[in-house]
Amino acid sequence: MIAATEPVRILSKSPTDDGEGQFLEVSMGPQHPSTHGVFRMDVVLDGERIVKLKPVFGYLHRNHEKIAENETYLGSMPYTDRLDYFCSLTNNWAYALAVEKLAGIQVPERAEYIRIITAELTRFQNHAALIGFLTQDMGASGTPLMYAFRERETILDLFESLTGARMMCNYMRFGGCRVDLPAGWLDHAKQFAATLPRFLDEFERLLATNEILMARTQGVGVLSKEFAVNAGVTGPILRASGVNYDLRKVDKYGIYDRFAFKIPLGEHGDTYDRYMVRLLEMRESLNILNQALKDIPDGPIVDPKTKIRGFKPKPGEAYGRIEAPKGELGFYLISDGTPNPYRYRVRSSCMMNLTVLEELCIGRNVADVVVILGSIDIVMGEVDR
Amino acid sequence: MLVILSVAKNLGIVWNFEVEVETVFGEGILKGLAETARNFLGSYVSKNRLTTVQYPEERLPQIEAYRNFPFLVYDGEDWQQGLRCVSCFICEKECPPKCIFIEKSTDKKPDAVGKPQFYPTVFNIDISVCMSCQICVEVCPFDAIKMDTDFELSTGNRFSGLLWDKKHLAKSNEHYHKIHPTEAAAVDAQLAADRAKTAAKAKAAAEAKPAAAPATPPPVPAGSEK
């Protein structure tokens, strides 16, 4: 709120020099609550250059953590779908992992494989859609996005035939998964995975050496290694800055230690590296996916000792984290032995990654802000929770 | 023009490559345009490249696992007699957004496996609140509530049009078989086994205590089994 004594000004004088140039404050971005993913920035401009940038969020706040503290453990599983609604399956996994740590539940091997298959498909479709949105923000209106969505639709079809929903999957359970793979699903997935390299080649030919893309992204929004680490940035953005940190390698949660895959790293930390790291990560996801589809064993899909109703973990605390497509997604739970968690906290990767936005934007033009924001890859459902 | 793309480097596992491309300025754009043109022309030849479906006229086949909103299963012809729900309130309690409202009856009627049970006098689901998470289906011990696949549900009244009562929710077992054949067959097999067990128990009880025979429930279920 602006104090009554303070005059409302659109043009504000520079706080550093007197009389030399004027700053313009602009409210950038939509702010109507009925639109989805609402994010607004208060930017202070010196001509076209950004002097100050203040992210304004909270338009999509839904009280996720407090709701979860009043739900049963299973009851918050469908709410985790709605955090990052592009990647509901990885959200499910992170939450299931936290509860499994809390209650000491073992996951059968087949369920671990299914989790990895679905998580890598999720990563693939998230990165494909992100590159589409990023290029759309740059003005490539539609074509790359539609190509990405063509593949994403097929992945969502696979999700639908497995979980019953395209986006709000609600599939993982404590100690496994909800249902087994339907008949023919694996063959379908294998066939589909065989077509993906062609799509990736096409996607690369479409954009990777495009001069306009390079002019708009190379050297734009450079995030230094040190700053990225200090700010708690995780995920592809951190790796684009050249820090080799991937929880799939660091934590080896699930059974990721059984798979051979590489971590693509960037060198400059600019928007182009962030774009390229994701493109390469898609190839690595495909690599993991192929290995998992080949090796998946038969067996039970859920730990039979875990109860659906009346699930009460013993008192204690646990932090489960996974490498979600957007970065480290963690759930911190404290149990007091009742059916509801005493404390439920989401460590959201989008929120942490968004904190570096001002640093990346200062000194750049207004048009670059959109590109930089696109390359950070935020979903407001997870930022605001 | 020499464009050097230092693309990716790996520290742990060495994967260090530099792509050096000698290109004429604008070649990247032309390459991309060629790709678009190939897709455009290909759409006249190959069906795979034509992915759009003209929805109301053309429809994709429904995926079997698809779920939308819950419905109540009934056996037989009469939906009021055949409802499997025994108003145990489990789904009401477990529903994460609390969109189910149940009122229990005072009298009993035989249920799907032949035991006398209570039935719901009121069973409402607020579809505007329901988030299609399927937890009510998972926790129901009586296979009474299942997920429907109907998605064309627009209504002119956002209050009573979205608050579905028992009559609106009740759908036959045949409908369930139509939308989820594999799942419904498994449920029916389980119910048939339960029915046989109940009938055997009732018979044993009747033989052991002939005097108590009138009090035992009729072993034949109200609904016909498919």
Side-chain angles (χ1 to χ4, degrees):
Chain A
M1 288 295 287
I2 298 159
T5 50
E6 201 178 310
V8 179
R9 291 174 307 182
I10 295 172
L11 289 169
S12 62
K13 276 204 174 146
S14 151
T16 48
D17 51 19
D18 24 30
E20 288 295 315
Q22 283 181 317
F23 288 164
L24 181 64
E25 293 177 19
V26 179
S27 173
M28 212 176 151
Q31 49 177 303
H32 195 273
S34 76
T35 52
H36 75 110
V38 191
F39 176 65
R40 183 163 73 89
M41 294 162 272
D42 282 337
V43 289
V44 178
L45 298 177
D46 178 10
E48 269 285 298
R49 277 193 313 109
I50 307 283
V51 179
K52 227 170 35 179
L53 184 145
K54 195 177 130 226
V56 183
F57 42 80
Y59 289 100
L60 211 60
H61 182 67
R62 323 183 282 296
N63 222 345
H64 175 73
E65 290 176 4
K66 214 67 200 170
I67 287 176
E69 282 163 22
N70 291 298
E71 286 285 352
T72 57
Y73 282 87
L74 179 62
S76 11
M77 186 63 91
Y79 285 108
T80 61
D81 290 339
R82 278 118 180 122
L83 280 175
D84 171 1
Y85 38 77
F86 266 84
C87 321
S88 62
L89 283 159
T90 46
N91 297 346
N92 283 178
W93 193 3
Y95 179 54
L97 204 67
V99 176
E100 279 153 15
K101 262 190 188 171
L102 188 65
I105 302 169
Q106 290 301 313
V107 182
E109 197 164 313
R110 185 176 171 84
E112 292 276 26
Y113 272 91
I114 296 175
R115 283 178 176 194
I116 280 181
I117 290 168
T118 51
E120 293 308 322
L121 281 171
T122 305
R123 194 182 316 278
F124 192 95
Q125 57 99 350
N126 177 69
H127 287 355
L130 165 87
I131 292 171
F133 283 126
L134 175 63
T135 47
Q136 178 154 38
D137 287 348
M138 271 182 246
S141 55
T143 309
L145 183 64
M146 286 303 128
Y147 284 20
F149 263 55
R150 187 183 59 200
E151 304 310 308
R152 182 167 177 265
E153 283 303 303
T154 323
I155 294 177
L156 293 190
D157 280 346
L158 282 173
F159 287 170
E160 190 181 350
S161 57
L162 173 60
T163 70
R166 299 172 78 79
M167 288 174 82
M168 302 297 129
C169 295
N170 183 22
Y171 179 62
M172 310 281 178
R173 288 290 176 268
F174 314 135
C177 304
R178 185 165 60 76
V179 286
D180 203 351
L181 301 174
W185 195 91
L186 271 179
D187 296 330
H188 213 243
K190 271 179 202 161
Q191 269 172 23
F192 172 64
T195 66
L196 284 177
R198 210 178 127 206
F199 159 72
L200 284 172
D201 292 344
E202 183 187 276
F203 216 48
E204 243 178 70
R205 277 201 301 276
L206 189 67
L207 285 172
T209 55
N210 188 313
E211 282 80 5
I212 301 173
L213 179 99
M214 292 199 285
R216 288 294 303 274
T217 53
Q218 285 183 343
V220 172
V222 177
L223 178 63
S224 71
K225 241 185 211 184
E226 295 74 25
F227 190 76
V229 172
N230 286 344
V233 166
T234 46
I237 308 174
L238 182 69
R239 292 193 287 275
S241 295
V243 183
N244 187 6
Y245 182 76
D246 187 318
L247 288 177
R248 289 175 293 175
K249 288 275 189 202
V250 175
D251 261 19
K252 296 189 173 61
Y253 61 93
I255 46 166
Y256 268 114
D257 49 344
R258 294 188 200 172
F259 295 91
F261 64 99
K262 295 176 230 164
I263 310 291
L265 293 183
E267 213 170 75
H268 312 292
D270 59 357
T271 307
Y272 190 76
D273 273 11
R274 289 198 276 278
Y275 157 78
M276 213 60 202
V277 158
R278 285 186 175 106
L279 209 57
L280 294 169
E281 252 183 39
M282 275 153 80
R283 289 199 188 272
E284 291 309 312
S285 280
L286 190 59
N287 193 359
I288 301 172
L289 184 66
N290 282 331
Q291 294 175 47
L293 285 172
K294 198 171 81 211
D295 296 343
I296 182 166
D298 283 333
I301 51 144
V302 74
D303 182 11
K305 286 191 297 251
T306 323
K307 286 191 286 183
I308 291 184
R309 271 181 288 145
F311 176 73
K312 283 184 207 165
K314 57 186 184 308
E317 58 181 336
Y319 180 65
R321 58 178 187 173
I322 67 160
E323 182 72 31
K326 293 179 169 70
E328 174 185 334
L329 175 66
F331 283 84
Y332 176 60
L333 297 166
I334 301 181
S335 163
D336 55 356
T338 57
N340 318 332
Y342 174 74
R343 180 77 176 98
Y344 172 104
R345 155 99 187 130
V346 186
R347 190 263 186 224
S348 140
S349 50
C350 292
M351 170 87 179
M352 298 291 183
N353 294 351
L354 194 57
T355 53
V356 296
L357 182 66
E358 185 177 13
E359 178 77 14
L360 299 188
C361 288
I362 281 179
R364 305 297 315 183
N365 290 346
V366 179
D368 290 337
V369 174
V370 181
V371 178
I372 293 168
L373 181 66
S375 76
I376 288 180
D377 189 14
I378 51 162
V379 161
M380 291 316 284
E382 197 178 309
V383 176
D384 290 343
R385 301 197 285 288
Chain B
M1 181 183 156
L2 185 72
V3 182
I4 301 170
L5 312 174
S6 307
V7 182
K9 194 176 83 175
N10 197 337
L11 296 182
I13 303 142
V14 181
W15 189 32
N16 190 352
F17 65 89
E18 290 211 329
V19 190
E20 285 192 21
V21 202
E22 266 193 71
T23 53
V24 188
F25 188 76
E27 200 184 303
I29 297 176
L30 290 176
K31 248 196 229 165
L33 282 176
E35 202 54 54
T36 323
R38 199 162 40 198
N39 269 283
F40 171 62
L41 295 173
S43 68
Y44 285 100
V45 186
S46 150
K47 203 112 183 54
N48 294 341
R49 291 185 196 260
L50 255 189
T51 43
T52 313
V53 172
Q54 303 296 329
Y55 158 61
E57 292 86 23
E58 245 184 285
R59 277 155 196 267
L60 291 171
Q62 191 111 54
I63 290 172
E64 198 190 320
Y66 172 66
R67 62 181 140 95
N68 199 10
F69 289 123
F71 71 96
L72 295 172
V73 190
Y74 69 86
D75 296 304
E77 296 298 313
D78 184 10
W79 68 268
Q80 269 173 315
Q81 273 303 312
L83 268 191
R84 285 181 189 167
C85 177
V86 300
S87 64
C88 65
F89 296 98
I90 289 174
C91 56
E92 195 193 61
K93 260 184 231 137
E94 296 283 333
C95 174
K98 305 276 179 282
C99 68
I100 303 177
F101 176 75
I102 306 173
E103 260 176 32
K104 197 163 84 168
S105 66
T106 44
D107 55 329
K108 291 187 177 186
K109 71 171 182 61
D111 74 343
V113 294
K115 284 185 202 152
Q117 294 276 19
F118 294 107
Y119 59 92
T121 50
V122 178
F123 195 111
N124 288 344
I125 295 184
D126 190 346
I127 294 301
S128 61
V129 175
C130 174
M131 56 179 184
S132 316
C133 66
Q134 210 179 14
I135 282 180
C136 53
V137 177
E138 271 169 74
V139 297
C140 181
F142 301 93
D143 291 307
I145 190 164
K146 296 288 168 195
M147 298 307 274
D148 207 347
T149 54
D150 193 7
F151 56 89
E152 289 158 322
L153 300 164
S154 60
T155 167
N157 187 336
R158 70 191 164 106
F159 300 107
S160 58
L162 293 173
L163 184 68
W164 289 2
D165 60 2
K166 199 167 68 161
K167 192 172 174 216
H168 194 139
L169 289 167
K171 285 186 180 155
S172 66
N173 197 15
E174 282 74 39
H175 175 77
Y176 182 37
H177 271 276
K178 212 173 89 192
I179 57 175
H180 300 302
T182 346
E183 201 186 294
V187 167
D188 268 10
Q190 181 64 42
L191 280 180
D194 287 355
R195 246 172 234 148
K197 215 191 266 171
T198 319
K201 213 189 250 173
K203 207 172 157 199
E207 275 165 11
K209 251 197 244 168
T216 49
V220 187
S224 65
E225 198 215 315
K226 222 188 149 195

